[in-house]
Every structure is written in C-alpha cells, then in structure tokens.
Amino acid sequence: MEIAEAEKLAADLRRQIAYHNRKYYIEDSPEIEDYEYDGLYRKLESIEAEFPQLVTPDSPTQRVGGAALAKFSPVTHTVQMESLHDSFSEQELADFDRRVRAAAGSAEYIVEPKFDGLSVSLEYRDGVLSRGSTRGDGFVGEDITDNIRTIRTVPKKLKRPLPFIEVRGEVYMSHESFARLSEKQELEGEKPFKNPRNAAAGSLRQKDSKITASRKLDIFVFNIQQITGADINYHDEALDFLRGLGFTVSPFYKKCRTIGEAIEEVRRIGEMRGSLGYSIDGAVIKVNSFAQRTALGSTAKFPKWAEAFKYPPEEKSTVLKSIEINVGRTGVLTPTGVFSPVTLAGTTVSRATLHNEDFIKEKDIRIGDTVVLRKAGEIIPEVVSVVSHAEGSKPYKMPDVCPSCGAKVMREAGEAATRCTNAECPAQLLRHLIHFCSRDAMDIDGLGPAVLRRLTDAGFVKSPADLYSLTA
Ligand SMILES: [Zn+2]
C-alpha cells in the first residue's frame, strides 16, 4: 500500500470507529456487532503498525475509549481500571504465554469467563458501601452510587468490616431479566434495547435510580483494586476472599499450570457460552501471582499479565423448514424462520426471526432454502445468508390477512412493518387495554399492565367493556 492511500484509509477508519464508539459508549445503541467493530479496529492498528508516521494522538488506538457522561459527577480512579488486550486465535494466547515466561520464568494461570456488561468500581469504608462508579475511560468514571445501591447482588455491608476495599466488577442483565424488560418495553411502545449489555449500561446510567431498581441488574465481582487490612497474594485467593466478604464472584474459574491447560479451558468455556443465562464476550487468562503481575507491569494500554480471548461468531448451515407469522401486541406481523435444529454456541437453535418483508426480500429467503445461521455475542441467532434455494422454490410472500383475526393487513409507505388493521384484533387486546386504562384515556386506577396481563391470560377480559363487569 502507498502511504497516500494508507493515510486516506486510516482517516476513514478513525471516522468510522469514532462514530461507533459514540453509539456504543455514549448512546448504548450500537449499530454493528462487536466482531465487526474489532475488524475495523484491527485494520487501523495494522495500518498504523506499517506506517507509524500516520499515528495521530487522537487516534482511537491511542485512547482507551468510553468518555464519561456529563450527567453524573466524575470519579477519578486511584487505581486505573485497565482494559485487556484481545486475542482472536490460540496462537496469540501461546504468544502471550511466551512473553510471560520470558519475563517471569514460570507462571500459573487462572482462566475465567469475561462477562459482557458494564465495568464498575465499588468502594467500602469500614465494611459499608461508600461509592460506586463506572469505569469511564479507565481514569475517570461517573458516580452512580445511588443506582449501584439498587442492585440486589451488591452487598451494602460486608461480612467483615475492613477499613477500606475497592473492588471491580461487571454489572450485567441476565437473559431472563432482559426478556422480561424487552416484553414490557414493547408493550409500552418503547424501543427495546439491542442486547443485555446495552440494557445493563442504559439501566445503570439512569438519572432516576427507581428505574435502575426496576431493571433487575446483577454483578460479578472479579478483582480487588485496593485493600487495607488484609494481605492477599494470589488471584484465586482474592476470589475466595471476596466471596467470603459477601460478593458474588464468577461461578466458575480454573487454575492452570500450563498454557495448554488454559487453552483447553478457554475452549470449554466457548462450547458452553450460549447456555449460561448471562452473556459473556470471551474468556480471560490471568497470571495468578500478584508479585509476578507487579513484575510484569503494563504497556501504555494493557496489563501484560492478562489476555482476553474473543470467540469468533459461530455459523452453521441448515434448512429453513417453514416460516411462521406471529402477530405481536402492537399488531405487527413478524415472520419467524423454523429450521432443522443446529447447535450454536452451546445451545440448540431451531428458530430465528426474519424481521420483516424487506429482510426476506433482500436476502431472497424461501422455504426449503439452505441458509447460514449465526450466533455472535448476542443471545439471538440470525440468518446471515442463503446458500442455495431448493428446486422449484418460489419467492416468499407475506400473508394478506392477519393470522390471528383474518382482517386485512397493510404496510404503510416508508415502514418496514406489516400490520393488522383490525382495532379489535385479539392479538392486540392487551395493548388496547393498557392504553384504555391509561391516564391518557380512561384513567382507571389499579389496572396496570401486570394486572391486565393476568386478566387477559386467564381469559377474564376479552374487550374493554369486560373491565366494567369484573367482580372482585
Ligand atoms: Zn389481527
């Protein structure tokens, strides 16, 4: 590559990365998958490695990312909250081991899952929670103490009144809480979060901590940042100690004597990563001895004693057996593909959303097709592409009538969704009732979404009129 071309490409990549950083860190609403982002980042890194004169001080490769938001007061971290270097191949893990052994002689490793949420710091004085903050850019984060207090797995008081301890953990939303939140948001006409990580980040940065409390967040604590009143020398010792204080630590981790053993464990975590009930975005290999960690130190950006491994998105081909149409509570017809079951990231996948008519048309998805399914860090599988059509197949056509009530469906110009036009459509009953009872309409007290849902599920209410004939 010529330098002029490289310069143009680097500038373009920086623009793209800055845009996606903003979407990810500030707006909690990313537009691309993590591995796509990693691809852009790595491309920029390789150009800068080839042409070091092109490195600019504001290049995203020179910063840690995640600027603090203005709505919370800043917290300067006494101990930097570093991010880890990512590996994408086992070869890179072996290289990491070689560097560690060259500097430290021999090393023992701890392998643990890398939780996919929002990194926070918790400080306790005399055993009482005194402050919680986000990681921010690693140096300065946001004070979110009030919101942190609402998380049920964050102890407000430790089992032992240490003079001072600061720990680091990952706040996350379980898949169960995420599913419940998405359903609720959809019912109330809000846009659901793209994935549990964004939901966790968005929930943690609420100005109103009551909203945070309603979101059912959790935490895994994985590191001691600072401590007085105890002497701890190994990472596994630290995890046991943290558990003893009342923290929730990783449900599993393994001590490994060789990198071969560690890689074996990384593979094992990868095979079960889709079935954990919470999202992980990789595994981490850490040097166990704190004395060795101190000796190894850090580069400008990363500690030299730990290495993250990112799993590639898993893809498999399978056959599309049928397309089911479901009518949502907002009247939108959503096509779902039903596939011959395949195993992806440790879970059996036989269904994936086909989103809408445009998605199907764009990929020319037909019943009987052989398609590629993918499961990335997300919990929801997706159709990547069509490999081949079955013989004699025809382009798919959305139904003309609502499968729930038989009324005509329509698609507004400029909208991707196909909707049922019937105001009395039973599939939309609950949403109509919620609106009917809301302050904007009839202002009926005591009939919130949860109660209405129970009434419709039990079949007690089939129309708004039924609400008036209910007897207690
Ligand atoms: Zn209908």
Side-chain angles (χ1 to χ4, degrees):
M1 201 185 322
E2 296 291 321
I3 184 152
E5 190 192 337
E7 189 169 9
K8 230 181 102 204
L9 190 55
D12 185 48
L13 285 166
R14 281 181 201 126
R15 244 192 321 273
Q16 287 188 56
I17 290 167
Y19 173 81
H20 292 299
N21 273 348
R22 180 164 183 85
K23 287 277 159 198
Y24 181 103
Y25 288 111
I26 312 287
E27 296 171 18
D28 300 320
S29 171
E31 288 173 2
I32 58 174
E33 300 291 341
D34 285 0
Y35 62 87
E36 292 171 295
Y37 176 88
D38 290 337
L40 295 174
Y41 196 92
R42 293 213 134 197
K43 208 157 143 197
L44 178 59
E45 268 185 336
S46 78
I47 292 172
E48 290 180 343
E50 200 182 333
F51 302 100
Q53 65 270 44
L54 293 182
V55 178
T56 57
D58 67 339
S59 175
T61 59
Q62 306 302 303
R63 290 180 299 124
V64 190
L69 280 180
K71 60 180 170 181
F72 298 100
S73 5
V75 172
T76 302
H77 300 303
T78 314
V79 175
Q80 190 197 341
M81 292 173 76
E82 294 180 292
S83 62
L84 299 181
H85 181 259
D86 290 326
S87 277
F88 295 85
S89 68
E90 292 179 356
Q91 182 55 49
E92 287 176 272
L93 295 179
D95 292 343
F96 160 72
D97 173 59
R98 206 163 302 122
R99 290 193 302 271
V100 167
R101 281 187 295 118
S106 67
E108 197 174 67
Y109 297 114
I110 300 292
V111 181
E112 54 193 30
K114 188 165 187 288
F115 304 107
D116 195 13
L118 197 74
S119 206
V120 298
S121 143
L122 308 177
E123 291 162 77
Y124 292 79
R125 287 181 196 282
D126 299 319
V128 178
L129 176 65
S130 59
R131 187 162 68 174
S133 54
T134 62
R135 173 173 172 272
D137 64 2
F139 297 98
V140 179
E142 306 148 342
D143 188 327
I144 49 161
T145 310
D146 291 343
N147 294 348
I148 284 285
R149 277 184 203 288
T150 70
I151 300 173
R152 58 198 161 161
T153 34
V154 169
K156 315 303 172 277
K157 216 175 147 197
L158 302 179
K159 290 185 180 157
R160 216 178 110 186
L162 284 168
F164 179 71
I165 185 170
E166 179 188 357
V167 300
R168 180 170 173 181
E170 194 85 355
V171 171
Y172 69 97
M173 187 178 281
S174 71
H175 292 172
E176 197 192 331
S177 298
F178 177 68
R180 212 167 294 152
L181 174 63
S182 302
E183 194 191 353
K184 184 170 166 281
Q185 287 176 319
E186 217 167 290
L187 268 176
E188 290 167 6
E190 290 169 41
K191 194 175 157 224
F193 288 103
K194 188 164 179 267
N195 56 44
R197 180 193 57 215
N198 299 130
S203 303
L204 204 52
R205 284 144 146 192
Q206 291 288 334
K207 255 305 184 192
D208 180 356
S209 56
K210 279 198 218 79
I211 297 178
T212 312
S214 74
R215 297 286 174 82
K216 302 269 179 279
L217 297 170
D218 278 297
I219 191 169
F220 285 122
V221 170
F222 60 83
N223 200 52
I224 297 174
Q225 300 291 95
Q226 305 182 69
I227 187 166
T228 51
D231 187 28
I232 293 162
N233 299 300
Y234 294 92
H235 184 55
D236 55 350
E237 188 190 345
L239 292 173
D240 285 345
F241 181 79
L242 288 167
R243 194 188 291 116
L245 289 177
F247 291 108
T248 307
V249 299
S250 173
F252 58 94
Y253 51 87
K254 192 178 179 205
K255 182 148 74 176
C256 301
R257 287 176 207 289
T258 65
I259 192 68
E261 250 180 75
I263 289 174
E264 196 64 41
E265 178 64 5
V266 168
R267 280 188 205 146
R268 194 184 72 86
I269 295 173
E271 276 157 25
M272 61 189 251
R273 73 186 195 274
S275 57
L276 294 171
Y278 48 84
S279 297
I280 64 171
D281 63 348
V284 191
I285 302 181
K286 294 173 175 171
V287 169
N288 196 21
S289 152
F290 290 173
Q292 282 184 328
R293 287 187 184 186
T294 308
L296 283 159
S298 296
T299 67
K301 286 193 75 175
F302 308 110
K304 291 184 189 170
W305 46 264
E307 185 78 7
F309 181 83
K310 289 225 169 172
Y311 299 104
E314 214 180 319
E315 295 187 350
K316 267 185 198 156
S317 68
T318 183
V319 173
L320 175 63
K321 296 199 297 190
S322 61
I323 295 177
E324 277 180 20
I325 302 287
N326 301 297
V327 190
R329 295 206 177 95
T330 54
V332 173
L333 273 63
T334 304
T336 301
V338 181
F339 306 90
S340 302
V342 283
T343 306
L344 283 175
T347 53
T348 303
V349 174
S350 61
R351 304 168 68 84
T353 181
L354 302 177
H355 304 287
N356 53 48
E357 192 175 14
D358 288 349
F359 182 84
I360 294 175
K361 207 176 262 173
E362 198 182 293
K363 291 190 155 47
D364 192 13
I365 296 169
R366 306 176 183 193
I367 293 165
D369 279 1
T370 299
V371 301
V372 175
L373 283 184
R374 169 167 64 199
K375 208 167 172 190
E378 317 305 333
I379 54 177
I380 300 157
E382 56 179 354
V383 175
V384 182
S385 59
V386 171
V387 180
S388 62
H389 296 308
E391 227 184 278
S393 70
K394 282 191 226 110
Y396 180 75
K397 224 179 130 280
M398 288 287 278
D400 300 322
V401 296
C402 170
S404 174
C405 70
K408 241 183 112 51
V409 298
M410 61 175 270
R411 214 184 131 174
E412 303 249 9
E415 230 195 60
T418 304
R419 287 173 194 278
C420 167
T421 52
N422 178 10
E424 320 245 286
C425 176
Q428 302 176 56
L429 174 64
L430 181 57
R431 190 177 59 95
H432 287 313
L433 290 175
I434 290 170
H435 177 72
F436 185 80
C437 296
S438 72
R439 231 144 278 158
D440 301 340
M442 299 305 289
D443 197 8
I444 301 179
D445 253 356
L447 284 177
V451 176
L452 288 170
R453 193 185 161 161
R454 253 174 276 141
L455 291 172
T456 51
D457 284 355
F460 290 141
V461 174
K462 295 200 168 63
S463 77
D466 290 347
L467 292 174
Y468 294 100
S469 55
L470 284 176
T471 46

